[in-house]
Amino acid sequence: IEAVTGVQTCALPIFVSLRRDLLRRVRALAIDHWIWTPHETRTAPLVFVSAEAAGTKAFRAYAYRLAATGELGRIVLDEAHFTVTASEYRAAMVDLALIRGVRTQFVYLTATLPPSLQAQFELQNNLVNPKVIRASTNRRNLSYVVERVAGLGQLLREGAQRAKDAWEGGRLLDRARDKIIVYARTKEDAAALAGLLCCPLYTADAGTAERKGELLRTWLLSLDQPYIVATSALSAGFDYAHVRLVIHVDEPSSLVDFAQESGQAGRDGEEAYSLVLLSRTWRPRAAEDAMVETRALHRYLCGQDCRRTCLSEHLDSELYWRQCQAGEDATCDVCSAGPRSEEHTSELQTPPL
């Protein structure tokens, strides 16, 4: 669009991995673009700016000047839900609201903003009567499974073993392209899992943006290294079509994060799997003491309802609520085996990789 209209767009990718992927795509399309840095004044049809830079006085001055001369067509924020979900630990997410003073069109893109957070999102970003377009978040080709194993130490070993079993004995994996992501809740657990799998480790401490990019490139190009272990640092912005299995070892941090991370699987539209491994002693916190996001996550993990239903009823408007539909969706473990009580959740079937 930018290349056709000649109107400048400022794109704000929240994560380094997201910016890298967007840059790859615009280069492939031969769209004129550049990455904004402080004190730059030049223009291009598409300008990328980091979330940290976008809230600064220097960028706002740049954007005000472009708007005043009619050169700025719109400002687009991708993965915009982080302005709410990451605002407590990433100050730049709060500062992004400052750019709302620029007189131009704003476009906020996200696939994982629960309806329950929409009012907070609009308040945080100073939005008044925005036009909201929602679609279903359902991933029809993705099968969801949750299992219990004994003990935390055993949990890590089991996570590594499941990844190995899927790769070494999986009948659905294409060894020339398919990959497996193993998510851990903490950096310590991630390091332990990476040691067990002898594979790359991706966390916030993995190094500079260039180092992280090189780590991912090397992994994706390797034919003999199917695994990577990561924390939530490898989440929004990573886009590889042939991730076939995503394993979460221990409880995910939230249902929104889980949807983002499990959604790395099967982007090529082919059958793919999400597996969560929990300790046999895991129990949900009391509902009255838990926040809405926590209750939604625990509902998903407990397996009393279809897991696809748990996801859609938290992430989608009521129009798109659904359960697994035979012939349309890859069924989750609950729908495959029928509803079961909590004490039986440890018997759930292993993904048939």
Side-chain angles (χ1 to χ4, degrees):
I1 295 174
E2 289 77 14
V4 173
T5 64
V7 177
Q8 179 166 335
T9 293
C10 289
L12 277 61
I14 300 297
F15 287 92
V16 171
S17 54
L18 175 59
R19 186 178 73 176
R20 182 178 58 251
D21 186 63
L22 289 172
L23 286 171
R24 175 182 59 80
R25 296 185 183 203
V26 298
R27 286 166 182 159
L29 293 170
I31 295 175
D32 185 17
H33 66 281
W34 62 283
I35 301 172
W36 185 85
T37 55
H39 313 301
E40 286 279 8
T41 59
R42 57 180 169 149
T43 63
L46 182 59
V47 176
F48 288 94
V49 57
S50 69
E52 281 70 22
T56 64
K57 290 182 179 179
F59 177 74
R60 295 203 305 276
Y62 171 77
Y64 280 130
R65 181 179 63 80
L66 292 178
T69 57
E71 297 176 85
L72 182 60
R74 64 194 67 85
I75 294 176
V76 180
L77 291 86
D78 205 357
E79 303 293 353
H81 61 280
F82 284 102
T83 60
V84 172
T85 60
S87 60
E88 291 185 2
Y89 61 87
R90 194 173 176 186
M93 298 299 99
V94 178
D95 294 341
L96 281 176
L98 297 172
I99 64 173
R100 288 284 291 129
V102 179
R103 296 179 63 84
T104 190
Q105 179 189 57
F106 283 79
V107 179
Y108 293 80
L109 304 175
T110 174
T112 45
L113 180 72
S116 61
L117 290 180
Q118 185 168 319
Q120 182 182 349
F121 177 87
E122 293 178 11
L123 181 64
Q124 170 68 37
N125 290 288
N126 298 325
L127 306 182
V128 179
N129 297 323
K131 181 177 181 181
V132 179
I133 301 173
R134 278 190 174 271
S136 173
T137 61
N138 183 41
R139 297 288 303 280
R140 294 182 175 181
N141 61 315
L142 192 52
S143 180
Y144 300 97
V145 176
V146 178
E147 292 192 34
R148 303 286 190 92
V149 298
L152 179 58
Q154 181 63 28
L155 191 62
L156 298 178
R157 289 192 291 273
E158 185 69 17
Q161 191 59 52
R162 293 300 182 89
K164 290 179 181 178
D165 290 346
W167 181 252
E168 295 169 2
R171 62 182 183 274
L172 297 181
L173 286 170
D174 182 340
R175 290 174 174 267
R177 64 178 191 182
D178 288 349
K179 297 292 183 179
I180 297 172
I181 301 176
V182 182
Y183 279 104
R185 203 177 159 84
T186 68
K187 288 182 282 190
E188 293 74 18
D189 285 350
L193 279 164
L196 290 169
L197 287 168
C198 299
C199 72
L201 172 64
Y202 191 105
T203 71
D205 298 334
T208 63
E210 291 73 19
R211 165 63 185 147
K212 291 176 180 176
E214 183 57 33
L215 186 155
L216 290 175
R217 280 192 295 273
T218 301
W219 172 58
L220 292 175
L221 291 173
S222 173
L223 295 179
D224 56 0
Q225 182 50 271
Y227 325 109
I228 192 168
V229 174
T231 60
S232 56
L234 182 65
S235 179
F238 176 71
D239 186 14
Y240 177 70
H242 309 298
V243 173
R244 197 59 49 215
L245 171 64
V246 173
I247 301 175
H248 282 82
V249 179
D250 209 352
E251 177 184 332
S253 55
S254 72
L255 197 61
V256 168
D257 287 345
F258 171 75
Q260 190 91 52
E261 292 159 4
S262 63
Q264 301 291 352
R267 295 193 173 189
D268 55 5
E270 298 181 11
E271 190 173 4
Y273 298 87
S274 162
L275 171 64
V276 179
L277 294 176
L278 298 174
S279 167
R280 196 176 297 276
T281 60
W282 179 89
R283 292 292 183 272
R285 291 189 288 278
E288 60 271 17
D289 297 331
M291 300 178 64
V292 171
E293 181 67 31
T294 303
R295 292 199 299 270
L297 173 64
H298 288 177
R299 181 190 177 202
Y300 175 91
L301 296 175
C302 284
Q304 297 297 307
D305 303 297
C306 165
R307 302 200 196 274
R308 200 175 300 277
T309 295
C310 296
L311 284 166
S312 68
E313 290 187 3
H314 186 61
L315 295 173
D316 294 339
S317 58
E318 188 171 355
L319 174 65
Y320 298 111
W321 291 358
R322 65 181 289 129
Q323 63 182 28
C324 294
Q325 301 291 326
E328 294 185 23
D329 303 304
T331 54
C332 72
D333 53 359
V334 175
C335 291
S336 295
R340 60 187 65 214
S341 60
E342 184 181 340
E343 61 266 26
H344 292 149
T345 54
S346 60
E347 308 299 327
L348 299 178
Q349 184 180 0
T350 303
L353 288 169

